[in-house]
Amino acid sequence: MSWSPAQYTQFESERNRPCQDLLARIPNATVAKAADLGCGPGNSTQLLQTQFPGANLGGFDSSPEMIAAARQRMPGSHFEVADIEKWSTHYRFDVILANASLQWVPDHATLLPRLVEHLAPGGSLAVQIPDNLDEPVHQLMRALAADAAWAEKLAGASERSAHRHSAQWYHQTLGELGTKVDVWRTTYYHALEGGAEAIVEWFKGTALRPYLGPLDEGERETFLSRYTESIAQAYPALPDSSVLLPFPRLFFVATRQ
Ligand SMILES: C[S@@+](CC[C@H](N)C(=O)[O-])C[C@H]1O[C@@H](n2cnc3c(N)ncnc32)[C@H](O)[C@@H]1O
């Protein structure tokens, strides 16, 4: 199932907040060259430009739809369809940003040394990864996927965006690569208008994609209606009919010494 820029940008201001918080922790005062890995529709690249005006920016994403949307948003910047897993260039960067993208890329033990190699001396790798696999939104997806109605089709769906390690692991791994590491975790509480449906809309743009992709239209409708029912129970509506979505996220900035 391809990524949909329109679905993803429905919650752009909520999705941008962690990226802004991440960018604010990058210690580099001058940034001449920066890369945005998994740039999506260019929202994070735009924030990178605001934080470091004048930097030469490149955005990379494996989704042609996302890259087309990013080019439309920022016609003056360089955007390229590329897989982070294989991304390699002779350039060295003052900042490499990966906001909400590395959870889709396997084998961080191999990936991180390669990304650090692409940093200029003093350059920073800035990463934010959702840390919500134990939240009801994910637990309920996994439980529903195990239903015999589609279990075979959905085998492996839960692993697609599960590439995440602990804060301790990132701290140690990046420290051993000779970087100074700043790791932290934040839980955001997003007040969404529209109750359980709004939560489902949010995740249709991201974590639900590997579950919905293999299903036919009828199955997808049933899956979504059952998922919405269970989300409504786990996240009760507030008196004004909005809903509060707790969303823990893990951050790190690793700066090459
Ligand atoms: C949740 S979006 C994040 C978009 C943006 N960085 C932001 O801050 O909102 C994740 C993006 O990662 C991209 N992505 C997933 N796996 C990828 C890979 N292996 N290589 C490159 N991009 C990938 C997806 O296409 C999607 O656009």
Side-chain angles (χ1 to χ4, degrees):
M1 192 177 186
S2 57
W3 284 83
S4 159
Q7 184 76 34
Y8 186 74
T9 49
Q10 274 187 75
F11 300 95
E12 181 160 319
S13 104
E14 289 85 355
R15 294 193 200 277
N16 277 352
R17 168 92 181 274
C19 188
Q20 288 162 325
D21 293 348
L22 175 64
L23 289 169
R25 295 294 306 163
I26 295 175
N28 314 51
T30 332
V31 171
K33 195 159 181 61
D36 185 5
L37 304 186
C39 63
N43 55 313
S44 46
T45 324
Q46 205 165 33
L47 296 174
L48 198 50
Q49 184 178 54
T50 306
Q51 183 82 8
F52 304 111
N56 177 295
L57 299 179
F60 304 86
D61 200 288
S62 54
S63 154
E65 291 83 1
M66 288 297 206
I67 288 296
R71 283 183 181 141
Q72 214 168 16
R73 184 190 289 247
M74 295 177 72
S77 294
H78 171 83
F79 289 99
E80 201 178 311
V81 176
D83 187 340
I84 297 170
E85 216 180 329
K86 302 183 193 115
W87 181 72
S88 180
T89 158
H90 63 276
Y91 290 115
R92 292 297 172 261
F93 298 86
D94 302 304
V95 169
I96 297 178
L97 170 70
N99 187 62
S101 54
L102 295 193
Q103 72 275 19
W104 296 97
V105 185
D107 193 4
H108 290 188
T110 305
L111 179 68
L112 293 181
R114 265 204 316 103
L115 297 186
V116 168
E117 260 175 38
H118 282 81
L119 292 174
S124 293
L125 170 66
V127 174
Q128 181 270 121
I129 298 178
D131 195 9
N132 60 347
L133 291 178
D134 294 332
E135 293 293 304
V137 279
H138 270 278
Q139 286 176 354
L140 294 168
M141 262 178 233
R142 291 194 294 268
L144 190 52
D147 190 298
W150 40 55
E152 209 171 311
K153 280 188 176 179
L154 299 188
S158 66
E159 279 134 49
R160 291 282 309 284
S161 70
H163 308 289
R164 314 168 193 207
H165 294 271
S166 66
Q168 288 78 359
W169 188 90
Y170 287 113
H171 191 271
Q172 185 177 335
T173 303
L174 289 157
E176 286 169 2
L177 292 169
T179 66
K180 185 169 187 304
V181 193
D182 181 9
V183 188
W184 71 101
R185 187 177 189 270
T186 303
T187 299
Y188 296 87
Y189 287 86
H190 299 295
L192 304 180
E193 281 175 23
E197 280 81 5
I199 295 184
V200 176
E201 277 305 304
W202 176 300
F203 287 98
K204 269 163 76 179
T206 52
L208 277 170
R209 295 175 45 263
Y211 296 87
L212 300 178
L215 302 179
D216 65 36
E217 215 175 306
E219 289 169 331
R220 200 173 293 166
E221 214 171 286
T222 312
F223 187 100
L224 282 174
S225 124
R226 287 177 57 189
Y227 184 63
T228 308
E229 265 171 45
S230 54
I231 287 288
Q233 282 174 18
Y235 299 87
L238 300 173
D240 66 356
S241 80
S242 68
V243 70
L244 212 48
L245 171 68
F247 202 136
R249 296 178 182 269
L250 186 70
F251 300 76
F252 58 82
V253 175
T255 302
R256 198 167 167 179
Q257 301 301 291

